[in-house]
Amino acid sequence: DAGITQSPRHKVTETGTPVTLRCHQTENHRYMYWYRQDPGHGLRLIHYSYGVKDTDKGEVSDGYSVSRSKTEDFLLTLESATSSQTSVYFCAISERGEQYFGPGTRLTVT
Amino acid sequence: KNEVEQSPQNLTAQEGEFITINCSYSVGISALHWLQQHPGGGIVSLFMLSSGKKKHGRLIATINIQEKHSSLHITASHPRDSAVYICAVPEESYNTDKLIFGTGTRLQVFP
């Protein structure tokens, strides 16, 4: 157990509203990731972080921003939610090359 | 950039059968990952391997670096093995920080 929690676990929001998802880890891991998982696609990287205030874009970063002001928290923000962002979002950390995943957040944009 | 393919997409088996799931990738890598996603949605790392074979209980993972191919085997399958099995490789051979994931193999094992 890599001590990863995500909040909220479920959220329903309306198109056009901003949404922030939180990933929290307790073991001081340097690398943190945000993925989305959709039917017919593998997990796809949205953004990742390799340290406090060090972030980089992934494959599907449009419409998302991230922040990491402290080691333990990695925030994912949907600036103006759209129905295409309805998905399950997973946070992960990397430890010695292996990735460990949080429980996921199911987001529905209506 | 690497590409990863898994086969089959879906697999059904009777309890006790030997299961094989395959993963192929296009660019040389340092390590390949096998993950399991439970019906409830949680994702667990099963193996990370860079050569040869690894075994954990009834699960065996093998990799052939020259052929850019890996297999995940389940011996004496059980209904609790029902899950989606996902293969992942580094997006680029020299950067192991970012992974790309296969679309998964959905396994159902019936009693």
Side-chain angles (χ1 to χ4, degrees), chain B residues 26-46:
Chain B
S26 57
V27 174
I29 58 171
S30 56
L32 179 144
H33 304 252
W34 282 103
L35 307 161
Q36 179 191 56
Q37 185 167 24
H38 299 290
I43 301 173
V44 175
S45 178
L46 296 175

Side-chain angles (χ1 to χ4, degrees), chain A residues 83-98:
Chain A
S83 58
S84 64
Q85 294 175 311
T86 292
S87 187
V88 180
Y89 292 85
F90 287 96
C91 173
I93 61 91
S94 179
E95 179 180 326
R96 291 189 293 273
E98 282 199 75

